[in-house]
Amino acid sequence: MHAKALRGKQRLVQLMFDLREKVVGKRGAAAACPYCGGPVLAWDFDAHLLFCFISISHKSKRKFYCTICDRRLVPAS
């Protein structure tokens, strides 16, 4: 398959699917950044996956960010 045709199909899929995230809350996490030692904020998101403007999936997500170095942190399992 040609690269140009592949890019066209990928663009079509991007137009059909859309991920929308909305911040619903922020709060301090009881942790320190392993890189700089700064305080960490926990952000709560509502994520909706849309197919042709119709919601097909809904998830609540929590992401952690350092307030000093602005890195996204992934909690250890």
Side-chain angles (χ1 to χ4, degrees):
M1 184 174 280
H2 296 291
K4 189 174 183 179
L6 185 59
R7 282 193 302 265
K9 288 183 180 184
Q10 289 174 344
R11 181 69 182 142
L12 180 62
V13 170
Q14 287 176 344
L15 290 173
M16 293 173 59
F17 288 94
D18 187 19
L19 178 65
R20 296 190 182 169
E21 292 183 335
K22 179 181 175 184
V23 177
V24 293
K26 299 179 205 176
R27 62 180 175 190
C33 176
Y35 300 102
C36 70
V40 175
L41 278 179
W43 292 44
D44 295 323
F45 289 88
D46 272 342
H48 294 272
L49 180 63
L50 303 172
F51 174 73
C52 295
F53 306 105
I54 299 170
S55 180
I56 59 173
S57 175
H58 174 260
K59 289 184 180 180
S60 295
K61 296 180 180 181
R62 179 169 289 157
K63 296 180 182 179
F64 297 92
Y65 293 95
C66 175
T67 58
I68 303 293
C69 65
D70 292 329
R71 290 188 190 211
R72 172 136 191 273
L73 306 172
V74 180
S77 298

